[in-house]
PDB file of all heavy atoms in Angstrom:
ATOM      1  N   LEU A 111     -13.583 -19.114  14.696  1.00  0.00           N
ATOM      2  CA  LEU A 111     -14.994 -18.755  14.563  1.00  0.00           C
ATOM      3  C   LEU A 111     -15.386 -19.010  13.120  1.00  0.00           C
ATOM      4  O   LEU A 111     -14.798 -18.420  12.214  1.00  0.00           O
ATOM      5  CB  LEU A 111     -15.185 -17.271  14.924  1.00  0.00           C
ATOM      6  CG  LEU A 111     -16.553 -16.647  14.616  1.00  0.00           C
ATOM      7  CD1 LEU A 111     -17.639 -17.277  15.470  1.00  0.00           C
ATOM      8  CD2 LEU A 111     -16.508 -15.127  14.844  1.00  0.00           C
ATOM      9  N   SER A 114     -21.224 -22.244  10.534  1.00  0.00           N
ATOM     10  CA  SER A 114     -21.569 -23.670  10.557  1.00  0.00           C
ATOM     11  C   SER A 114     -22.945 -23.933   9.935  1.00  0.00           C
ATOM     12  O   SER A 114     -23.563 -24.958  10.219  1.00  0.00           O
ATOM     13  CB  SER A 114     -21.549 -24.180  12.009  1.00  0.00           C
ATOM     14  OG  SER A 114     -22.473 -23.443  12.799  1.00  0.00           O
ATOM     15  N   PHE A 132     -15.640 -22.168  17.706  1.00  0.00           N
ATOM     16  CA  PHE A 132     -16.952 -21.525  17.825  1.00  0.00           C
ATOM     17  C   PHE A 132     -17.709 -21.640  16.499  1.00  0.00           C
ATOM     18  O   PHE A 132     -17.583 -20.789  15.615  1.00  0.00           O
ATOM     19  CB  PHE A 132     -16.781 -20.053  18.210  1.00  0.00           C
ATOM     20  CG  PHE A 132     -16.314 -19.869  19.627  1.00  0.00           C
ATOM     21  CD1 PHE A 132     -14.953 -19.917  19.927  1.00  0.00           C
ATOM     22  CD2 PHE A 132     -17.217 -19.688  20.659  1.00  0.00           C
ATOM     23  CE1 PHE A 132     -14.508 -19.760  21.235  1.00  0.00           C
ATOM     24  CE2 PHE A 132     -16.781 -19.544  21.966  1.00  0.00           C
ATOM     25  CZ  PHE A 132     -15.429 -19.574  22.260  1.00  0.00           C
ATOM     26  N   PRO A 133     -18.511 -22.716  16.343  1.00  0.00           N
ATOM     27  CA  PRO A 133     -19.362 -22.805  15.156  1.00  0.00           C
ATOM     28  C   PRO A 133     -20.604 -21.923  15.342  1.00  0.00           C
ATOM     29  O   PRO A 133     -21.339 -22.067  16.318  1.00  0.00           O
ATOM     30  CB  PRO A 133     -19.738 -24.296  15.120  1.00  0.00           C
ATOM     31  CG  PRO A 133     -19.603 -24.773  16.528  1.00  0.00           C
ATOM     32  CD  PRO A 133     -18.616 -23.897  17.225  1.00  0.00           C
ATOM     33  N   VAL A 134     -20.810 -21.007  14.434  1.00  0.00           N
ATOM     34  CA  VAL A 134     -21.961 -20.096  14.501  1.00  0.00           C
ATOM     35  C   VAL A 134     -22.708 -20.173  13.168  1.00  0.00           C
ATOM     36  O   VAL A 134     -22.126 -19.856  12.121  1.00  0.00           O
ATOM     37  CB  VAL A 134     -21.515 -18.646  14.774  1.00  0.00           C
ATOM     38  CG1 VAL A 134     -22.703 -17.685  14.645  1.00  0.00           C
ATOM     39  CG2 VAL A 134     -20.880 -18.529  16.152  1.00  0.00           C
ATOM     40  N   PRO A 135     -23.948 -20.623  13.146  1.00  0.00           N
ATOM     41  CA  PRO A 135     -24.693 -20.753  11.878  1.00  0.00           C
ATOM     42  C   PRO A 135     -25.179 -19.386  11.370  1.00  0.00           C
ATOM     43  O   PRO A 135     -26.390 -19.105  11.340  1.00  0.00           O
ATOM     44  CB  PRO A 135     -25.855 -21.668  12.261  1.00  0.00           C
ATOM     45  CG  PRO A 135     -26.081 -21.400  13.712  1.00  0.00           C
ATOM     46  CD  PRO A 135     -24.750 -21.080  14.306  1.00  0.00           C
ATOM     47  N   ALA A 136     -24.264 -18.577  10.982  1.00  0.00           N
ATOM     48  CA  ALA A 136     -24.584 -17.178  10.668  1.00  0.00           C
ATOM     49  C   ALA A 136     -25.552 -17.061   9.485  1.00  0.00           C
ATOM     50  O   ALA A 136     -26.537 -16.322   9.534  1.00  0.00           O
ATOM     51  CB  ALA A 136     -23.289 -16.421  10.380  1.00  0.00           C
ATOM     52  N   ILE A 139     -29.006 -18.272  10.432  1.00  0.00           N
ATOM     53  CA  ILE A 139     -29.708 -17.273  11.262  1.00  0.00           C
ATOM     54  C   ILE A 139     -30.235 -16.148  10.381  1.00  0.00           C
ATOM     55  O   ILE A 139     -31.378 -15.694  10.515  1.00  0.00           O
ATOM     56  CB  ILE A 139     -28.758 -16.720  12.346  1.00  0.00           C
ATOM     57  CG1 ILE A 139     -28.438 -17.803  13.372  1.00  0.00           C
ATOM     58  CG2 ILE A 139     -29.361 -15.496  13.018  1.00  0.00           C
ATOM     59  CD1 ILE A 139     -27.350 -17.409  14.366  1.00  0.00           C
ATOM     60  N   VAL A 153     -23.937 -10.899  11.722  1.00  0.00           N
ATOM     61  CA  VAL A 153     -24.027 -11.955  12.737  1.00  0.00           C
ATOM     62  C   VAL A 153     -22.622 -12.341  13.183  1.00  0.00           C
ATOM     63  O   VAL A 153     -22.333 -12.441  14.390  1.00  0.00           O
ATOM     64  CB  VAL A 153     -24.770 -13.190  12.178  1.00  0.00           C
ATOM     65  CG1 VAL A 153     -24.754 -14.327  13.208  1.00  0.00           C
ATOM     66  CG2 VAL A 153     -26.202 -12.839  11.808  1.00  0.00           C
ATOM     67  N   MET A 154     -21.729 -12.553  12.200  1.00  0.00           N
ATOM     68  CA  MET A 154     -20.348 -12.937  12.538  1.00  0.00           C
ATOM     69  C   MET A 154     -19.609 -11.797  13.242  1.00  0.00           C
ATOM     70  O   MET A 154     -18.783 -12.032  14.129  1.00  0.00           O
ATOM     71  CB  MET A 154     -19.606 -13.348  11.271  1.00  0.00           C
ATOM     72  CG  MET A 154     -20.144 -14.614  10.627  1.00  0.00           C
ATOM     73  SD  MET A 154     -19.960 -16.079  11.687  1.00  0.00           S
ATOM     74  CE  MET A 154     -18.323 -16.624  11.218  1.00  0.00           C
ATOM     75  N   GLY A 156     -20.979  -9.562  15.235  1.00  0.00           N
ATOM     76  CA  GLY A 156     -21.446  -9.573  16.622  1.00  0.00           C
ATOM     77  C   GLY A 156     -20.824 -10.711  17.409  1.00  0.00           C
ATOM     78  O   GLY A 156     -20.460 -10.550  18.584  1.00  0.00           O
ATOM     79  N   ALA A 157     -20.654 -11.878  16.752  1.00  0.00           N
ATOM     80  CA  ALA A 157     -20.013 -13.016  17.426  1.00  0.00           C
ATOM     81  C   ALA A 157     -18.556 -12.682  17.762  1.00  0.00           C
ATOM     82  O   ALA A 157     -18.067 -12.975  18.859  1.00  0.00           O
ATOM     83  CB  ALA A 157     -20.086 -14.241  16.527  1.00  0.00           C
ATOM     84  N   ARG A 160     -18.266 -10.396  20.690  1.00  0.00           N
ATOM     85  CA  ARG A 160     -18.459 -11.104  21.956  1.00  0.00           C
ATOM     86  C   ARG A 160     -17.190 -11.846  22.362  1.00  0.00           C
ATOM     87  O   ARG A 160     -16.813 -11.860  23.528  1.00  0.00           O
ATOM     88  CB  ARG A 160     -19.634 -12.084  21.826  1.00  0.00           C
ATOM     89  CG  ARG A 160     -19.831 -12.967  23.059  1.00  0.00           C
ATOM     90  CD  ARG A 160     -20.147 -12.137  24.296  1.00  0.00           C
ATOM     91  NE  ARG A 160     -20.125 -12.947  25.516  1.00  0.00           N
ATOM     92  CZ  ARG A 160     -19.043 -13.141  26.280  1.00  0.00           C
ATOM     93  NH1 ARG A 160     -17.895 -12.565  25.942  1.00  0.00           N
ATOM     94  NH2 ARG A 160     -19.103 -13.877  27.357  1.00  0.00           N
ATOM     95  N   ALA A 193     -29.029  -8.731  14.158  1.00  0.00           N
ATOM     96  CA  ALA A 193     -28.103  -9.746  13.639  1.00  0.00           C
ATOM     97  C   ALA A 193     -26.851  -9.825  14.519  1.00  0.00           C
ATOM     98  O   ALA A 193     -26.374 -10.923  14.850  1.00  0.00           O
ATOM     99  CB  ALA A 193     -27.720  -9.395  12.196  1.00  0.00           C
ATOM    100  N   ALA A 194     -26.309  -8.675  14.889  1.00  0.00           N
ATOM    101  CA  ALA A 194     -25.117  -8.670  15.746  1.00  0.00           C
ATOM    102  C   ALA A 194     -25.424  -9.311  17.092  1.00  0.00           C
ATOM    103  O   ALA A 194     -24.624 -10.092  17.639  1.00  0.00           O
ATOM    104  CB  ALA A 194     -24.624  -7.240  15.934  1.00  0.00           C
ATOM    105  N   GLN A 195     -26.606  -9.010  17.607  1.00  0.00           N
ATOM    106  CA  GLN A 195     -26.999  -9.585  18.898  1.00  0.00           C
ATOM    107  C   GLN A 195     -27.116 -11.107  18.802  1.00  0.00           C
ATOM    108  O   GLN A 195     -26.674 -11.828  19.702  1.00  0.00           O
ATOM    109  CB  GLN A 195     -28.340  -8.984  19.331  1.00  0.00           C
ATOM    110  CG  GLN A 195     -28.800  -9.449  20.703  1.00  0.00           C
ATOM    111  CD  GLN A 195     -30.134  -8.828  21.079  1.00  0.00           C
ATOM    112  OE1 GLN A 195     -30.689  -8.007  20.367  1.00  0.00           O
ATOM    113  NE2 GLN A 195     -30.654  -9.226  22.225  1.00  0.00           N
ATOM    114  N   ARG A 196     -27.671 -11.598  17.696  1.00  0.00           N
ATOM    115  CA  ARG A 196     -27.801 -13.052  17.536  1.00  0.00           C
ATOM    116  C   ARG A 196     -26.427 -13.718  17.440  1.00  0.00           C
ATOM    117  O   ARG A 196     -26.240 -14.845  17.926  1.00  0.00           O
ATOM    118  CB  ARG A 196     -28.636 -13.361  16.284  1.00  0.00           C
ATOM    119  CG  ARG A 196     -30.101 -13.053  16.446  1.00  0.00           C
ATOM    120  CD  ARG A 196     -30.785 -14.023  17.427  1.00  0.00           C
ATOM    121  NE  ARG A 196     -30.811 -15.385  16.897  1.00  0.00           N
ATOM    122  CZ  ARG A 196     -30.132 -16.413  17.404  1.00  0.00           C
ATOM    123  NH1 ARG A 196     -29.367 -16.231  18.484  1.00  0.00           N
ATOM    124  NH2 ARG A 196     -30.188 -17.622  16.867  1.00  0.00           N
ATOM    125  N   GLY A 197     -25.477 -13.029  16.819  1.00  0.00           N
ATOM    126  CA  GLY A 197     -24.124 -13.579  16.782  1.00  0.00           C
ATOM    127  C   GLY A 197     -23.534 -13.710  18.176  1.00  0.00           C
ATOM    128  O   GLY A 197     -22.916 -14.734  18.525  1.00  0.00           O
ATOM    129  N   GLY A 198     -23.734 -12.686  18.981  1.00  0.00           N
ATOM    130  CA  GLY A 198     -23.248 -12.723  20.362  1.00  0.00           C
ATOM    131  C   GLY A 198     -23.903 -13.835  21.156  1.00  0.00           C
ATOM    132  O   GLY A 198     -23.250 -14.540  21.944  1.00  0.00           O
ATOM    133  N   GLU A 199     -25.203 -14.025  20.930  1.00  0.00           N
ATOM    134  CA  GLU A 199     -25.923 -15.085  21.660  1.00  0.00           C
ATOM    135  C   GLU A 199     -25.415 -16.471  21.259  1.00  0.00           C
ATOM    136  O   GLU A 199     -25.308 -17.373  22.101  1.00  0.00           O
ATOM    137  CB  GLU A 199     -27.426 -14.959  21.375  1.00  0.00           C
ATOM    138  CG  GLU A 199     -28.060 -13.722  21.992  1.00  0.00           C
ATOM    139  CD  GLU A 199     -29.470 -13.467  21.482  1.00  0.00           C
ATOM    140  OE1 GLU A 199     -29.942 -14.217  20.595  1.00  0.00           O
ATOM    141  OE2 GLU A 199     -30.096 -12.520  21.971  1.00  0.00           O
ATOM    142  N   ALA A 200     -25.089 -16.630  19.971  1.00  0.00           N
ATOM    143  CA  ALA A 200     -24.572 -17.926  19.519  1.00  0.00           C
ATOM    144  C   ALA A 200     -23.243 -18.241  20.206  1.00  0.00           C
ATOM    145  O   ALA A 200     -22.980 -19.396  20.576  1.00  0.00           O
ATOM    146  CB  ALA A 200     -24.400 -17.898  17.999  1.00  0.00           C
ATOM    147  N   VAL A 201     -22.410 -17.244  20.367  1.00  0.00           N
ATOM    148  CA  VAL A 201     -21.145 -17.454  21.068  1.00  0.00           C
ATOM    149  C   VAL A 201     -21.393 -17.801  22.531  1.00  0.00           C
ATOM    150  O   VAL A 201     -20.721 -18.678  23.102  1.00  0.00           O
ATOM    151  CB  VAL A 201     -20.255 -16.197  20.937  1.00  0.00           C
ATOM    152  CG1 VAL A 201     -19.075 -16.254  21.914  1.00  0.00           C
ATOM    153  CG2 VAL A 201     -19.742 -16.053  19.510  1.00  0.00           C
ATOM    154  N   GLU A 202     -22.359 -17.143  23.132  1.00  0.00           N
ATOM    155  CA  GLU A 202     -22.681 -17.425  24.532  1.00  0.00           C
ATOM    156  C   GLU A 202     -23.060 -18.897  24.714  1.00  0.00           C
ATOM    157  O   GLU A 202     -22.668 -19.534  25.695  1.00  0.00           O
ATOM    158  CB  GLU A 202     -23.834 -16.530  25.002  1.00  0.00           C
ATOM    159  CG  GLU A 202     -23.512 -15.061  25.127  1.00  0.00           C
ATOM    160  CD  GLU A 202     -22.641 -14.762  26.348  1.00  0.00           C
ATOM    161  OE1 GLU A 202     -22.320 -15.687  27.109  1.00  0.00           O
ATOM    162  OE2 GLU A 202     -22.267 -13.596  26.513  1.00  0.00           O
ATOM    163  N   ARG A 203     -23.811 -19.420  23.761  1.00  0.00           N
ATOM    164  CA  ARG A 203     -24.224 -20.820  23.865  1.00  0.00           C
ATOM    165  C   ARG A 203     -23.020 -21.759  23.805  1.00  0.00           C
ATOM    166  O   ARG A 203     -22.920 -22.731  24.556  1.00  0.00           O
ATOM    167  CB  ARG A 203     -25.216 -21.156  22.755  1.00  0.00           C
ATOM    168  CG  ARG A 203     -26.660 -20.821  23.110  1.00  0.00           C
ATOM    169  CD  ARG A 203     -27.635 -21.607  22.240  1.00  0.00           C
ATOM    170  NE  ARG A 203     -27.446 -21.304  20.821  1.00  0.00           N
ATOM    171  CZ  ARG A 203     -28.006 -20.278  20.221  1.00  0.00           C
ATOM    172  NH1 ARG A 203     -28.783 -19.456  20.905  1.00  0.00           N
ATOM    173  NH2 ARG A 203     -27.806 -20.077  18.952  1.00  0.00           N
ATOM    174  N   VAL A 204     -22.085 -21.451  22.897  1.00  0.00           N
ATOM    175  CA  VAL A 204     -20.888 -22.293  22.786  1.00  0.00           C
ATOM    176  C   VAL A 204     -20.077 -22.219  24.069  1.00  0.00           C
ATOM    177  O   VAL A 204     -19.549 -23.228  24.559  1.00  0.00           O
ATOM    178  CB  VAL A 204     -20.042 -21.861  21.575  1.00  0.00           C
ATOM    179  CG1 VAL A 204     -18.755 -22.688  21.511  1.00  0.00           C
ATOM    180  CG2 VAL A 204     -20.830 -22.028  20.287  1.00  0.00           C
ATOM    181  N   LEU A 205     -19.950 -21.030  24.608  1.00  0.00           N
ATOM    182  CA  LEU A 205     -19.195 -20.867  25.856  1.00  0.00           C
ATOM    183  C   LEU A 205     -19.792 -21.735  26.969  1.00  0.00           C
ATOM    184  O   LEU A 205     -19.056 -22.382  27.734  1.00  0.00           O
ATOM    185  CB  LEU A 205     -19.194 -19.388  26.277  1.00  0.00           C
ATOM    186  CG  LEU A 205     -18.293 -18.440  25.461  1.00  0.00           C
ATOM    187  CD1 LEU A 205     -18.602 -16.992  25.823  1.00  0.00           C
ATOM    188  CD2 LEU A 205     -16.836 -18.757  25.699  1.00  0.00           C
ATOM    189  N   ALA A 206     -21.127 -21.743  27.012  1.00  0.00           N
ATOM    190  CA  ALA A 206     -21.787 -22.518  28.055  1.00  0.00           C
ATOM    191  C   ALA A 206     -21.660 -24.016  27.797  1.00  0.00           C
ATOM    192  O   ALA A 206     -21.364 -24.803  28.714  1.00  0.00           O
ATOM    193  CB  ALA A 206     -23.265 -22.108  28.144  1.00  0.00           C
ATOM    194  N   ASP A 207     -21.869 -24.436  26.529  1.00  0.00           N
ATOM    195  CA  ASP A 207     -21.842 -25.860  26.197  1.00  0.00           C
ATOM    196  C   ASP A 207     -20.453 -26.463  26.371  1.00  0.00           C
ATOM    197  O   ASP A 207     -20.301 -27.616  26.791  1.00  0.00           O
ATOM    198  CB  ASP A 207     -22.313 -26.069  24.750  1.00  0.00           C
ATOM    199  CG  ASP A 207     -23.788 -25.725  24.583  1.00  0.00           C
ATOM    200  OD1 ASP A 207     -24.486 -25.616  25.617  1.00  0.00           O
ATOM    201  OD2 ASP A 207     -24.222 -25.554  23.427  1.00  0.00           O
TER     202      ASP A 207
END
Side-chain angles (χ1 to χ4, degrees):
L111 170 66
S114 59
F132 289 85
V134 172
I139 291 172
V153 175
M154 294 296 272
R160 175 62 189 90
Q195 184 180 356
R196 288 291 294 113
E199 291 169 357
V201 167
E202 291 286 358
R203 274 201 300 275
V204 177
L205 286 169
D207 293 345

